[in-house]
Amino acid sequence: MVDADDVRRIALSFPQTVEKEAWSMPTFRVAGKMFVTVPDDQTSFAVRCPKHERAELIAAEPQKFWVPPHEASSAWVRVRLGALEGRAELYDILVDSWRQAAPERLVEDFSPEDR
């Protein structure tokens, strides 16, 4: 089972990623743009997700993805760590969010690690 430490380790493996505390929780940023947060209870994390894709994710796997009411207008989705199939799925979700926040030149030069 994956946990918040796996989120931290994978997020920090991406180029130019830094960890910064905000709202009393760890957030991870590339080029100053946040791409993942880990709320206090550490049972889930939030990532960037275009709104049109978010509804499809939630409908397909509501046990895994959801959006709290106060984040409904944002382009983010929450992911339950316990519902993930493993580190490979976690990696895929995090790298997708990182790519949405990273400058184009970083994305072009990035080659994913073997998970």
Side-chain angles (χ1 to χ4, degrees), residues 1 19 37 49 51 53 77 111 115:
M1 185 165 127
E19 182 174 350
T37 67
C49 183
K51 287 183 189 178
E53 292 177 19
V77 67
S111 65
R115 308 167 266 198

Side-chain angles (χ1 to χ4, degrees), residues 1-6 42-43 80-87 90:
M1 185 165 127
V2 296
D3 60 23
D5 290 334
D6 293 313
Q42 298 189 356
T43 62
R80 290 178 179 88
L81 283 164
L84 294 175
E85 295 172 15
R87 285 179 183 83
L90 173 61

Side-chain angles (χ1 to χ4, degrees), residues 57-75:
L57 281 174
I58 293 168
E61 297 183 88
Q63 76 288 356
K64 189 178 293 184
F65 301 103
W66 93 102
V67 176
H70 69 279
E71 295 175 2
S73 65
S74 73

Side-chain angles (χ1 to χ4, degrees):
M1 185 165 127
V2 296
D3 60 23
D5 290 334
D6 293 313
V7 174
R8 174 176 279 112
R9 181 185 54 76
I10 292 170
L12 290 172
S13 75
F14 302 141
Q16 297 186 22
T17 295
V18 296
E19 182 174 350
K20 180 179 179 181
E21 187 170 321
W23 308 289
S24 299
M25 72 177 117
T27 67
F28 300 85
R29 301 161 189 250
V30 58
K33 292 183 180 179
M34 198 165 34
F35 70 94
V36 64
T37 67
V38 182
D40 289 341
D41 70 2
Q42 298 189 356
T43 62
S44 67
F45 60 99
V47 290
R48 290 174 172 262
C49 183
K51 287 183 189 178
H52 66 278
E53 292 177 19
R54 185 173 74 182
E56 291 176 24
L57 281 174
I58 293 168
E61 297 183 88
Q63 76 288 356
K64 189 178 293 184
F65 301 103
W66 93 102
V67 176
H70 69 279
E71 295 175 2
S73 65
S74 73
W76 288 71
V77 67
R78 297 264 183 120
V79 186
R80 290 178 179 88
L81 283 164
L84 294 175
E85 295 172 15
R87 285 179 183 83
E89 184 178 26
L90 173 61
Y91 182 92
D92 290 344
I93 291 169
L94 292 175
V95 77
D96 183 60
S97 186
W98 178 86
R99 284 182 171 132
Q100 291 176 58
E104 193 173 318
R105 65 175 171 71
L106 272 184
V107 174
E108 289 172 357
D109 293 342
F110 179 69
S111 65
E113 70 176 39
D114 292 355
R115 308 167 266 198

